[in-house]
Amino acid sequence: MDLNLKKDRNVRRKPAVDVSTQIYGKVPPQSKELEEAVLGAIMLEKGAFDTVVEILKSDCFYVEAHKKIFLAMIRLAGKSMPVDILTVVEELRFMGELDLVGGPFYVSQLTNSVVSSANVEAHARIILQKFIQRELIRISGEILSESYEDTADVFDLLDSAESKLFEITNNHLRKNYDSIDRVLVNTMKRIEDLRNKGDDITGVPSGFPSLDKVTYGWQPTDLIILAARPAVGKTAFALNLVRNAALHPRFPKGAAIFSLEMSSGQLVARILAAEAEIKLEKITRGKLEEYEMKKLMTHGVERLAKAPIFVDDTPALNIFELRAKCRRLVHNNGVGIIIIDYLQLMSGSADGKNTNREQEISKISRELKGLAKELQVPVIALSQLSRDVEKRKDGNKMPQLSDLRESGAIEQDADMVLFLYRPEYYDINQNEMGESNKGETHVRIAKHRNGQLDTIKLRAVLEYQRFEDDGSLENPGGPSFPGGGGNSFAGMRPGSGDNDEAKLYIQKGSKMNDMDFGDEGFEDAPF
């Protein structure tokens, strides 16, 4: 028997039948004729390839030979060579796959049924539709198979299903370009809305007027990096941002924090300390006087229980799980700001096979920026700094962009980079005037893609886990918001009235039997 014929038969038998096809006895969605028409049009019409390549990838073709032919076309385009019958045949011969696709005769006969390339875009979109249908069938079969496993974690299944479905959207349903007239209409509408709003804050408020004056709040789609050396107060500052966003008297926003370092209990204890103005040490040890216990309940628990704050302490969280959880939080719970503590503890892949840490961190930072754009919310990622700060001999310990740990991609992807610096951390206990600088904290905006650079002075009261504007020293436990006179959140609820049922949600890891859903059953489950 002819060797080429054997190879051709092997190629024809190659497409595997998925689980769902075996169950329902149906042929996967496909259109062999349209695939032939599209490939033929590309070889006949010079501009057809540019139209098709924006819609299809080689995997979108059902017939294996068509995948190889389209891949050869992509290689030719990458070499800036024309795509026609002769060049495609030569490229397939160079790739060693000409006989596998049926030889020169099969490539040339693809053009026989093509009258015009006028409809090539419509044909390509139908092929893409068929491919997406096949992918949905494949993913559904995998989910069916995994769901029957008794050892499967239900949250892992949900994360896996959402990640796989998102990959289809992200890889094959990308947004097309917009003409400037359409963008101008949307831009002018936003400008008019901001003018009518009559307020300087255009994003999620930080709760610190001096910082909001520079940033105008945390802006949607922005990736903000908050970096500092260990024990400077990154987590405490991030929790202040969470509390200030969720309990802001005028612009309350749902806030989610993903903690890869601390447990949810530790985080909530810190938030309670800041809200009730009780020392964290007393709360963690349980050494509270009776009046402090009452204060903790009335000024802490009661107010926070109504706050739209969501805490997830899943360890070793990867970017795919994070993305799936954030989508649910934004779409189902109206979360307006996402905080990750901290970047270097995340993993970039679900299988953990990526061994190059710098590349992995680069991938994570790119994905976080993509997440902010997709969900239209600000994403604040905490980051560690390298030891280069301590190695400087000039005495200047203020962090710089080059101090960001493990990857320069963090600086590149971020819309804003903030550094926390406390002089007393380096045993500098007096300022230039000889005055005590206890608690003095510098928030240095080292990168601001859409605004100015500046250094904001705050005051850290870390025993209460609070940060205040520098002018609030006479009342270190007072509010960060304008208004003064005690805690401005008293009696206020975020949202739109007394029927707001927002609560403090805590997801413990990812195990269903470790979770306490309370007396109301599954209504408060985080999924």
Side-chain angles (χ1 to χ4, degrees), residues 54-74:
E54 289 186 4
I55 302 170
L56 299 178
K57 297 183 178 180
S58 59
D59 290 339
C60 296
F61 290 88
Y62 179 76
V63 180
E64 191 69 22
H66 296 168
K67 292 182 182 180
K68 297 180 185 299
I69 293 171
F70 191 69
L71 189 59
M73 293 175 174
I74 293 174

Side-chain angles (χ1 to χ4, degrees), residues 446-464:
K447 179 184 178 182
H448 193 183
R449 187 168 284 163
N450 300 309
Q452 67 187 58
L453 306 181
D454 205 344
T455 299
I456 311 301
K457 281 190 179 182
L458 302 178
R459 183 68 61 177
V461 191
L462 293 182
E463 59 183 355
Y464 295 109

Side-chain angles (χ1 to χ4, degrees), residues 27-40 56 59-64 66-67 106 110 113 122-134:
V27 177
Q30 56 176 295
S31 181
K32 182 174 181 290
E33 294 79 10
L34 285 178
E35 291 183 8
E36 292 175 347
V38 166
L39 294 174
L56 299 178
D59 290 339
C60 296
F61 290 88
Y62 179 76
V63 180
E64 191 69 22
H66 296 168
K67 292 182 182 180
Y106 185 79
L110 289 173
S113 59
H123 295 164
R125 294 197 183 280
I126 295 173
I127 294 172
L128 176 62
Q129 177 183 328
K130 301 293 184 184
F131 168 74
I132 292 175
Q133 287 177 279
R134 295 197 301 271

Side-chain angles (χ1 to χ4, degrees), residues 329-344:
L329 285 168
V330 171
H331 296 151
N332 299 339
N333 303 103
V335 163
I337 183 170
I338 296 165
I339 296 179
I340 298 143
D341 183 17
Y342 59 91
L343 183 64
Q344 280 79 11

Side-chain angles (χ1 to χ4, degrees), residues 123-411:
H123 295 164
R125 294 197 183 280
I126 295 173
I127 294 172
L128 176 62
Q129 177 183 328
K130 301 293 184 184
F131 168 74
I132 292 175
Q133 287 177 279
R134 295 197 301 271
E135 285 295 282
L136 290 174
I137 291 170
R138 178 184 64 80
I139 291 170
S140 300
E142 291 177 0
I143 294 171
L144 277 172
S145 178
E146 293 171 358
S147 297
Y148 278 107
E149 297 292 333
D150 293 333
T151 58
D153 186 313
V154 65
F155 292 109
D156 289 342
L157 289 176
L158 287 171
D159 290 339
S160 175
E162 285 190 316
S163 296
K164 290 172 181 177
L165 290 173
F166 178 77
E167 279 186 38
I168 296 177
T169 304
N170 192 47
N171 294 334
H172 301 284
L173 294 176
R174 293 182 175 273
K175 182 183 176 184
N176 206 346
Y177 54 81
D178 285 325
S179 61
I180 192 170
D181 58 340
R182 182 181 302 177
V183 179
L184 279 171
V185 171
N186 295 332
T187 302
M188 291 306 298
K189 184 178 183 301
R190 182 171 181 272
I191 292 172
E192 286 292 334
D193 290 342
L194 293 175
R195 282 189 66 200
N196 296 332
K197 186 178 179 182
D199 198 287
D200 289 338
I201 297 178
T202 59
V204 179
S206 70
F208 304 103
S210 56
L211 184 57
D212 285 336
K213 188 176 180 181
V214 179
T215 64
Y216 306 107
W218 311 120
Q219 302 301 315
T221 75
D222 275 5
L223 171 62
I224 299 113
I225 300 296
L226 175 63
R229 290 292 293 149
V232 169
K234 292 190 304 296
T235 301
F237 186 72
L239 291 175
N240 273 241
L241 298 180
V242 167
R243 186 176 64 92
N244 293 347
L247 295 175
H248 197 283
R250 289 188 295 160
F251 311 111
K253 293 285 186 180
I257 181 165
F258 292 85
S259 175
L260 288 82
E261 185 176 31
M262 295 185 182
S263 69
S264 57
Q266 291 173 314
L267 293 178
V268 172
R270 289 175 171 229
I271 298 175
L272 279 171
E275 184 63 21
E277 302 173 29
I278 297 175
K279 291 182 179 181
L280 176 63
E281 183 182 3
K282 285 192 171 186
I283 293 177
T284 54
R285 295 177 60 197
K287 301 297 183 181
L288 298 173
E289 302 293 337
E290 188 63 30
Y291 78 92
E292 290 176 319
M293 194 65 190
K294 289 181 180 179
K295 187 179 180 184
L296 185 67
M297 292 300 297
T298 57
H299 292 276
V301 175
E302 287 185 10
R303 283 201 289 267
L304 286 175
K306 302 170 185 176
I309 298 175
F310 302 82
V311 183
D312 188 309
D313 64 355
T314 305
L317 190 68
N318 65 55
I319 190 65
F320 303 105
E321 294 171 332
L322 174 73
R323 191 163 52 199
K325 292 182 179 186
C326 288
R327 282 200 301 270
R328 291 202 301 271
L329 285 168
V330 171
H331 296 151
N332 299 339
N333 303 103
V335 163
I337 183 170
I338 296 165
I339 296 179
I340 298 143
D341 183 17
Y342 59 91
L343 183 64
Q344 280 79 11
L345 289 179
M346 290 190 67
S347 60
S349 56
D351 54 15
K353 292 181 180 179
N354 196 339
T355 55
N356 189 318
R357 187 57 181 164
E358 184 172 342
Q359 291 180 356
E360 192 171 16
I361 291 294
S362 299
K363 178 182 178 182
I364 292 170
S365 66
R366 285 194 302 271
E367 294 284 355
L368 289 179
K369 174 58 184 175
L371 180 67
K373 288 186 66 177
E374 177 198 348
L375 300 180
Q376 294 287 303
V377 299
V379 173
I380 300 179
L382 277 59
S383 176
Q384 292 280 23
L385 293 177
S386 67
R387 294 181 182 272
D388 292 342
V389 181
E390 274 77 16
K391 295 177 182 177
R392 293 198 192 108
K393 298 179 180 179
D394 58 0
N396 181 15
K397 305 298 184 181
M398 178 68 77
Q400 302 173 3
L401 289 171
S402 58
D403 298 325
L404 285 170
R405 186 174 162 188
E406 289 186 312
S407 177
I410 299 176
E411 173 190 346

